[in-house]
Amino acid sequence: MKVSMNGLRRNLSGDVETLRDLVESVINGEWYDGEDLRNAMNDVIRDSNVLNCVFSKDDPDFTDLGSVEVELLEEEHAE
């Protein structure tokens, strides 16, 4: 399978920027939506988990780290 590292890195950078903006809003005491923050964090976690599964079988310094997986934040359930 061929993987676009440029695409993975571009997605990660965009998702980190979104998360950064939301965290900045929280730090500044501005209004934010908890669901938006959770979704942004989960996007970054997904990017990291996918990136950890990309490897080159011929490069001992670029191995499969699929076992290094971060769990997603669960959605809050209404009571």
Side-chain angles (χ1 to χ4, degrees):
M1 176 197 306
K2 186 172 179 165
V3 175
S4 170
M5 287 303 291
N6 288 340
L8 288 174
R9 294 182 305 176
R10 190 173 292 114
N11 287 343
L12 177 60
S13 292
D15 291 341
V16 167
E17 183 176 23
T18 298
L19 179 60
R20 179 201 174 279
D21 292 345
L22 285 165
V23 169
E24 187 174 50
S25 294
V26 172
I27 290 169
N28 292 332
E30 299 169 6
W31 181 88
Y32 72 96
D33 183 279
E35 185 176 346
D36 288 345
L37 184 58
R38 181 178 40 256
N39 289 340
M41 185 72 248
N42 281 341
D43 287 344
V44 171
I45 291 170
R46 272 189 216 94
D47 293 339
S48 174
N49 289 343
V50 167
L51 195 55
N52 284 338
C53 292
V54 177
F55 64 95
S56 174
K57 67 179 180 174
D58 299 324
D59 186 346
D61 291 323
F62 194 41
T63 59
D64 183 359
L65 294 178
S67 63
V68 180
E69 184 174 347
V70 177
E71 290 186 34
L72 299 177
L73 297 173
E74 293 186 24
E75 293 184 29
E76 290 183 19
H77 299 286
E79 306 222 0

XYZ file of all heavy atoms in Angstrom:
625
model
N 0.838 -1.165 0.000
C 0.000 0.000 0.000
C 0.888 1.236 0.000
O 1.896 1.298 0.687
C -0.877 0.019 1.253
C -1.687 1.267 1.326
S -2.432 1.710 2.919
C -3.325 0.306 3.398
N 0.498 2.200 -0.771
C 1.239 3.461 -0.823
C 0.528 4.488 0.054
O -0.681 4.618 0.013
C 1.312 3.948 -2.265
C 2.178 5.166 -2.403
C 2.405 5.517 -3.845
C 3.251 6.764 -3.887
N 3.825 7.012 -5.158
N 1.298 5.190 0.852
C 0.764 6.187 1.774
C 1.349 7.550 1.438
O 2.544 7.656 1.180
C 1.119 5.813 3.236
C 0.689 6.895 4.186
C 0.504 4.486 3.618
N 0.517 8.560 1.445
C 0.992 9.920 1.216
C 1.394 10.538 2.549
O 0.548 10.966 3.335
C -0.099 10.771 0.568
O 0.305 12.128 0.557
N 2.695 10.540 2.826
C 3.172 11.170 4.054
C 2.866 12.664 4.046
O 2.579 13.248 5.087
C 4.674 10.933 4.233
C 5.036 9.518 4.621
S 4.227 8.961 6.151
C 5.047 9.983 7.354
N 2.896 13.283 2.870
C 2.545 14.702 2.789
C 1.104 14.915 3.234
O 0.812 15.861 3.967
C 2.745 15.236 1.376
C 4.206 15.372 1.008
O 5.075 15.423 1.868
N 4.478 15.411 -0.280
N 0.219 14.040 2.797
C -1.184 14.148 3.196
C -1.365 13.932 4.691
O -2.105 14.670 5.345
N -0.687 12.930 5.235
C -0.784 12.670 6.675
C -0.270 13.857 7.476
O -0.892 14.285 8.460
C 0.006 11.412 7.048
C -0.575 10.074 6.614
C 0.402 8.943 6.921
C -1.909 9.815 7.297
N 0.861 14.403 7.067
C 1.432 15.544 7.790
C 0.568 16.791 7.642
O 0.386 17.552 8.593
C 2.856 15.828 7.317
C 3.812 14.703 7.681
C 5.214 14.975 7.278
N 5.300 15.273 5.852
C 6.412 15.628 5.240
N 7.535 15.749 5.903
N 6.420 15.877 3.952
N -0.007 16.986 6.459
C -0.883 18.139 6.225
C -2.126 18.036 7.113
O -2.533 19.014 7.751
C -1.277 18.200 4.746
C -1.981 19.477 4.353
C -2.204 19.568 2.843
N -0.926 19.723 2.152
C -0.378 18.820 1.332
N -0.981 17.685 1.092
N 0.774 19.059 0.747
N -2.726 16.828 7.167
C -3.907 16.628 8.013
C -3.569 16.870 9.478
O -4.321 17.530 10.197
C -4.471 15.220 7.846
C -5.162 15.016 6.531
O -5.520 15.966 5.848
N -5.351 13.770 6.157
N -2.454 16.321 9.926
C -2.037 16.494 11.315
C -1.843 17.977 11.639
O -2.324 18.469 12.661
C -0.760 15.702 11.600
C -0.169 15.857 12.994
C -1.154 15.422 14.068
C 1.132 15.065 13.111
N -1.161 18.697 10.776
C -0.918 20.128 11.015
C -2.222 20.910 11.084
O -2.399 21.768 11.965
C -0.026 20.712 9.923
O 1.271 20.178 10.030
N -3.140 20.622 10.190
C -4.438 21.311 10.205
C -5.218 21.003 11.469
O -5.829 21.901 12.076
N -5.206 19.737 11.883
C -5.937 19.342 13.087
C -5.296 19.908 14.350
O -5.990 20.305 15.287
C -6.054 17.815 13.167
C -6.988 17.254 12.094
O -7.811 18.019 11.545
O -6.894 16.044 11.810
N -3.973 19.967 14.382
C -3.285 20.566 15.531
C -3.599 22.064 15.606
O -3.824 22.611 16.696
C -1.758 20.321 15.464
C -1.006 21.190 16.460
C -1.457 18.852 15.711
N -3.657 22.724 14.477
C -3.980 24.149 14.469
C -5.393 24.387 14.999
O -5.625 25.314 15.794
C -3.842 24.724 13.061
C -4.091 26.211 13.002
C -3.847 26.796 11.622
O -3.905 26.063 10.624
O -3.600 28.013 11.572
N -6.342 23.553 14.599
C -7.714 23.669 15.101
C -7.744 23.477 16.608
O -8.378 24.255 17.341
C -8.630 22.633 14.421
O -8.670 22.898 13.016
C -10.038 22.671 14.980
N -7.051 22.447 17.091
C -6.989 22.188 18.528
C -6.327 23.358 19.251
O -6.791 23.798 20.308
C -6.244 20.887 18.797
C -6.081 20.504 20.267
C -7.437 20.327 20.948
C -5.252 19.225 20.381
N -5.259 23.884 18.694
C -4.560 25.022 19.297
C -5.498 26.209 19.464
O -5.521 26.861 20.518
C -3.372 25.426 18.418
C -2.606 26.608 18.950
C -1.789 27.277 17.832
N -1.173 28.480 18.296
C -1.789 29.666 18.390
N -3.045 29.801 18.060
N -1.146 30.723 18.832
N -6.275 26.513 18.428
C -7.204 27.642 18.496
C -8.251 27.437 19.590
O -8.595 28.376 20.323
C -7.891 27.858 17.145
C -6.926 28.339 16.064
O -5.805 28.782 16.401
O -7.301 28.251 14.873
N -8.759 26.222 19.716
C -9.743 25.938 20.758
C -9.124 26.045 22.151
O -9.729 26.606 23.071
C -10.353 24.549 20.548
C -11.358 24.456 19.398
C -11.619 23.006 19.033
C -12.649 25.156 19.768
N -7.925 25.516 22.315
C -7.240 25.598 23.612
C -6.949 27.058 23.952
O -7.109 27.483 25.110
C -5.953 24.746 23.610
C -5.099 25.038 24.836
C -6.305 23.268 23.534
N -6.558 27.836 22.977
C -6.312 29.258 23.211
C -7.582 29.952 23.697
O -7.541 30.788 24.608
C -5.787 29.918 21.935
C -5.351 31.343 22.128
C -4.701 31.904 20.880
O -5.284 31.786 19.781
O -3.599 32.454 21.021
N -8.734 29.588 23.125
C -10.004 30.147 23.582
C -10.279 29.790 25.031
O -10.737 30.630 25.815
C -11.158 29.647 22.705
O -11.048 30.132 21.398
N -10.000 28.552 25.390
C -10.201 28.109 26.773
C -9.278 28.895 27.707
O -9.713 29.400 28.755
C -9.954 26.587 26.910
C -9.957 26.160 28.365
C -10.993 25.800 26.113
N -8.014 29.009 27.352
C -7.043 29.728 28.183
C -7.456 31.180 28.373
O -7.309 31.745 29.461
C -5.628 29.641 27.557
C -5.105 28.207 27.672
C -4.674 30.633 28.201
C -3.840 27.945 26.867
N -7.997 31.791 27.329
C -8.396 33.197 27.389
C -9.771 33.393 28.031
O -10.259 34.519 28.097
C -8.390 33.813 25.988
C -6.994 33.923 25.423
O -6.019 34.036 26.162
N -6.885 33.886 24.102
N -10.393 32.304 28.469
C -11.695 32.408 29.122
C -12.823 32.730 28.172
O -13.885 33.194 28.588
N -12.607 32.483 26.899
C -13.644 32.747 25.897
C -14.581 31.549 25.811
O -14.277 30.448 26.248
C -12.996 32.997 24.532
C -12.078 34.197 24.525
C -11.242 34.299 23.260
O -11.446 33.508 22.320
O -10.355 35.172 23.220
N -15.716 31.778 25.184
C -16.691 30.713 25.020
C -16.112 29.626 24.124
O -15.396 29.897 23.158
C -17.963 31.249 24.370
C -19.001 30.193 24.196
C -19.950 29.839 25.109
C -19.200 29.339 23.075
N -20.718 28.821 24.629
C -20.279 28.489 23.361
C -18.566 29.192 21.847
C -20.747 27.530 22.491
C -19.032 28.229 20.974
C -20.116 27.413 21.304
N -16.389 28.396 24.469
C -16.003 27.274 23.619
C -17.024 26.171 23.809
O -17.750 26.135 24.796
C -14.594 26.769 23.944
C -14.512 26.015 25.259
C -14.575 24.625 25.285
C -14.405 26.690 26.463
C -14.518 23.941 26.492
C -14.345 26.013 27.657
C -14.411 24.638 27.672
O -14.362 23.958 28.857
N -17.088 25.299 22.842
C -18.018 24.173 22.878
C -17.227 22.920 23.237
O -16.251 22.591 22.556
C -18.681 24.027 21.504
C -19.704 22.923 21.482
O -19.279 21.747 21.332
O -20.901 23.215 21.619
N -17.623 22.244 24.306
C -16.918 21.048 24.762
C -16.864 19.967 23.696
O -15.863 19.266 23.557
N -17.941 19.845 22.923
C -17.969 18.838 21.862
C -16.953 19.175 20.774
O -16.273 18.289 20.261
C -19.372 18.726 21.269
C -19.495 17.618 20.240
C -20.918 17.448 19.725
O -21.854 17.990 20.329
O -21.075 16.770 18.702
N -16.838 20.466 20.442
C -15.845 20.882 19.447
C -14.434 20.574 19.934
O -13.588 20.107 19.174
C -15.955 22.382 19.148
C -17.192 22.744 18.338
O -17.824 21.835 17.764
O -17.521 23.946 18.296
N -14.184 20.836 21.221
C -12.864 20.576 21.789
C -12.563 19.078 21.778
O -11.472 18.654 21.391
C -12.786 21.137 23.208
C -11.446 21.028 23.918
C -10.344 21.713 23.130
C -11.554 21.623 25.324
N -13.524 18.270 22.193
C -13.349 16.813 22.186
C -13.096 16.308 20.758
O -12.208 15.498 20.515
C -14.559 16.120 22.794
C -14.445 14.610 22.835
C -15.637 13.895 23.484
N -16.910 14.464 23.140
C -17.646 15.229 23.941
N -17.213 15.547 25.138
N -18.814 15.703 23.553
N -13.878 16.802 19.799
C -13.715 16.370 18.408
C -12.347 16.755 17.864
O -11.708 15.972 17.148
C -14.820 16.962 17.527
C -16.168 16.337 17.785
O -16.273 15.234 18.338
N -17.215 17.034 17.404
N -11.887 17.961 18.207
C -10.572 18.402 17.742
C -9.474 17.537 18.338
O -8.522 17.154 17.644
C -10.354 19.874 18.093
N -9.595 17.200 19.621
C -8.600 16.336 20.261
C -8.627 14.951 19.629
O -7.576 14.371 19.337
C -8.885 16.249 21.764
C -7.843 15.469 22.546
S -6.282 16.370 22.699
C -5.206 15.364 21.701
N -9.814 14.421 19.372
C -9.924 13.103 18.748
C -9.347 13.088 17.339
O -8.749 12.090 16.921
C -11.375 12.623 18.751
C -11.800 12.077 20.096
O -10.975 11.726 20.939
N -13.107 12.007 20.314
N -9.479 14.180 16.611
C -8.881 14.265 15.272
C -7.359 14.141 15.360
O -6.729 13.432 14.569
C -9.260 15.577 14.576
C -10.709 15.593 14.107
O -11.343 14.523 14.029
O -11.207 16.709 13.831
N -6.759 14.832 16.329
C -5.305 14.761 16.504
C -4.892 13.356 16.945
O -3.897 12.807 16.454
C -4.818 15.831 17.509
C -3.352 15.631 17.861
C -5.047 17.232 16.944
N -5.668 12.757 17.839
C -5.370 11.391 18.276
C -5.435 10.427 17.099
O -4.545 9.582 16.926
C -6.337 10.951 19.399
C -6.059 11.732 20.684
C -6.219 9.450 19.662
C -7.112 11.549 21.764
N -6.463 10.547 16.263
C -6.579 9.677 15.080
C -5.376 9.860 14.155
O -4.818 8.885 13.657
C -7.866 9.978 14.318
C -9.046 9.216 14.798
C -10.244 9.407 13.856
N -11.440 9.434 14.652
C -12.038 10.516 15.120
N -11.577 11.710 14.826
N -13.116 10.437 15.859
N -4.992 11.114 13.922
C -3.830 11.377 13.063
C -2.590 10.693 13.610
O -1.827 10.066 12.873
C -3.566 12.883 12.952
C -4.650 13.636 12.216
O -5.413 13.011 11.452
O -4.737 14.863 12.403
N -2.378 10.810 14.912
C -1.218 10.192 15.555
C -1.277 8.673 15.440
O -0.274 8.025 15.119
C -1.163 10.616 17.027
O -0.141 9.931 17.706
N -2.443 8.099 15.699
C -2.588 6.647 15.621
C -2.318 6.126 14.206
O -1.671 5.095 14.035
C -3.977 6.216 16.095
C -4.160 6.366 17.591
O -3.199 6.499 18.343
N -5.407 6.352 18.028
N -2.801 6.850 13.214
C -2.562 6.442 11.819
C -1.078 6.572 11.491
O -0.467 5.661 10.925
C -3.410 7.284 10.843
C -2.947 7.090 9.403
C -4.881 6.926 10.975
N -0.489 7.681 11.871
C 0.924 7.909 11.581
C 1.805 6.837 12.217
O 2.798 6.406 11.634
C 1.331 9.297 12.062
C 2.639 9.858 11.546
C 2.685 9.861 10.026
C 2.838 11.276 12.069
N 1.428 6.365 13.397
C 2.203 5.328 14.077
C 2.169 3.986 13.341
O 3.016 3.133 13.579
C 1.714 5.136 15.513
C 2.173 6.244 16.415
O 3.145 6.933 16.123
N 1.475 6.439 17.508
N 1.202 3.802 12.464
C 1.098 2.545 11.708
C 1.861 2.588 10.384
O 1.957 1.578 9.689
C -0.373 2.225 11.431
S -1.295 1.818 12.920
N 2.377 3.747 10.019
C 3.134 3.881 8.774
C 4.587 3.511 9.065
O 5.165 3.959 10.045
C 3.052 5.324 8.233
C 3.907 5.478 6.990
C 1.608 5.705 7.965
N 5.142 2.651 8.212
C 6.517 2.216 8.414
C 7.137 1.812 7.084
O 6.455 1.665 6.077
C 6.579 1.047 9.403
C 5.897 -0.200 8.908
C 6.618 -1.196 8.278
C 4.529 -0.372 9.066
C 5.996 -2.354 7.815
C 3.896 -1.522 8.610
C 4.632 -2.514 7.991
N 8.434 1.640 7.125
C 9.174 1.140 5.968
C 9.897 -0.131 6.403
O 10.748 -0.088 7.299
C 10.186 2.183 5.488
O 10.986 1.646 4.454
N 9.548 -1.237 5.791
C 10.115 -2.529 6.215
C 11.636 -2.582 6.056
O 12.293 -3.384 6.715
C 9.460 -3.677 5.459
C 9.760 -3.699 3.986
C 9.098 -4.871 3.300
C 9.439 -4.841 1.819
N 8.958 -6.001 1.130
N 12.187 -1.723 5.218
C 13.628 -1.721 4.979
C 14.395 -0.721 5.843
O 15.607 -0.601 5.714
C 13.909 -1.426 3.502
C 13.297 -2.475 2.590
O 13.273 -3.664 2.971
O 12.827 -2.100 1.502
N 13.671 -0.009 6.709
C 14.316 1.024 7.521
C 14.107 0.720 9.006
O 13.003 0.877 9.526
C 13.735 2.391 7.173
C 14.456 3.531 7.869
O 15.239 3.276 8.819
O 14.230 4.690 7.468
N 15.158 0.299 9.707
C 15.015 -0.056 11.122
C 14.684 1.144 12.016
O 14.245 0.963 13.148
C 16.379 -0.642 11.491
C 17.335 -0.085 10.484
C 16.532 0.126 9.222
N 14.849 2.351 11.501
C 14.506 3.541 12.269
C 13.111 4.072 11.938
O 12.726 5.161 12.392
C 15.530 4.651 12.019
C 16.887 4.318 12.616
O 16.916 3.719 13.707
O 17.899 4.653 11.976
N 12.360 3.316 11.140
C 11.009 3.733 10.753
C 10.112 2.502 10.788
O 9.626 2.029 9.772
C 11.041 4.385 9.374
C 9.787 5.135 9.014
C 9.119 5.917 9.945
C 9.298 5.074 7.726
C 7.970 6.613 9.597
C 8.153 5.765 7.365
C 7.486 6.536 8.297
N 9.928 1.956 11.998
C 9.196 0.703 12.189
C 7.725 0.964 12.519
O 7.318 2.089 12.804
C 9.818 -0.119 13.329
O 9.793 0.655 14.526
C 11.260 -0.512 13.010
N 6.943 -0.102 12.481
C 5.516 -0.055 12.788
C 5.328 0.176 14.287
O 5.729 -0.644 15.108
C 4.860 -1.364 12.375
C 3.356 -1.383 12.590
O 2.800 -0.379 13.080
O 2.740 -2.411 12.271
N 4.735 1.297 14.642
C 4.439 1.607 16.037
C 2.936 1.540 16.295
O 2.404 2.237 17.155
C 4.966 2.999 16.403
C 6.477 3.169 16.382
C 6.841 4.610 16.707
C 7.144 2.227 17.363
N 2.256 0.667 15.548
C 0.808 0.526 15.691
C 0.374 0.153 17.093
O -0.766 0.404 17.486
N 1.272 -0.431 17.870
C 0.928 -0.800 19.244
C 0.880 0.423 20.168
O 0.363 0.345 21.287
C 1.930 -1.818 19.786
O 3.225 -1.253 19.832
N 1.410 1.538 19.697
C 1.373 2.787 20.469
C 0.109 3.527 20.047
O 0.115 4.339 19.130
C 2.621 3.661 20.203
C 2.557 4.946 21.005
C 3.890 2.884 20.492
N -0.986 3.202 20.721
C -2.276 3.773 20.340
C -2.873 4.540 21.509
O -2.891 4.067 22.641
C -3.240 2.661 19.920
C -4.559 3.175 19.420
C -5.450 2.081 18.871
O -4.969 0.956 18.653
O -6.632 2.359 18.676
N -3.349 5.735 21.217
C -4.007 6.568 22.217
C -5.513 6.401 22.030
O -6.019 6.462 20.905
C -3.604 8.049 22.049
C -4.340 8.936 23.041
C -2.099 8.210 22.173
N -6.210 6.185 23.138
C -7.664 6.036 23.058
C -8.324 7.383 22.818
O -7.876 8.417 23.331
C -8.206 5.438 24.357
C -7.830 3.982 24.541
C -8.502 3.379 25.761
O -9.664 3.768 26.075
O -7.870 2.530 26.392
N -9.398 7.353 22.049
C -10.168 8.565 21.785
C -10.943 8.973 23.033
O -11.269 8.132 23.879
C -11.162 8.325 20.644
C -10.566 7.944 19.288
C -11.682 7.668 18.295
C -9.644 9.024 18.777
N -11.221 10.258 23.137
C -12.095 10.748 24.200
C -13.518 10.321 23.861
O -13.969 10.497 22.729
C -12.025 12.267 24.304
C -10.677 12.864 24.680
C -10.747 14.387 24.571
C -10.293 12.451 26.093
N -14.209 9.782 24.832
C -15.580 9.334 24.595
C -16.537 10.508 24.643
O -16.310 11.491 25.351
C -15.982 8.306 25.644
C -15.216 7.007 25.522
C -15.732 5.941 26.488
O -16.910 6.030 26.908
O -14.953 5.056 26.812
N -17.612 10.366 23.861
C -18.646 11.397 23.867
C -19.423 11.334 25.169
O -19.611 10.254 25.736
C -19.611 11.189 22.699
C -18.973 11.409 21.350
C -19.986 11.278 20.221
O -21.177 11.559 20.447
O -19.576 10.881 19.131
N -19.860 12.501 25.636
C -20.702 12.532 26.821
C -22.094 12.065 26.422
O -22.602 12.394 25.366
C -20.778 13.951 27.382
C -19.478 14.408 28.001
C -19.616 15.798 28.614
O -20.765 16.235 28.871
O -18.590 16.434 28.809
N -22.680 11.281 27.281
C -24.029 10.792 27.022
C -25.020 11.547 27.896
O -24.784 11.724 29.095
C -24.115 9.287 27.308
C -23.188 8.484 26.440
N -23.449 8.264 25.120
C -22.007 7.875 26.710
C -22.460 7.526 24.602
N -21.571 7.286 25.547
N -26.087 12.016 27.264
C -27.119 12.734 28.016
C -27.810 11.787 28.969
O -28.062 10.630 28.646
C -28.132 13.345 27.043
N -28.097 12.279 30.145
C -28.756 11.435 31.158
C -30.224 11.658 31.143
O -30.761 12.604 30.841
C -28.168 11.736 32.524
C -26.678 11.583 32.479
C -26.152 10.887 33.707
O -26.922 10.513 34.587
O -24.938 10.688 33.755
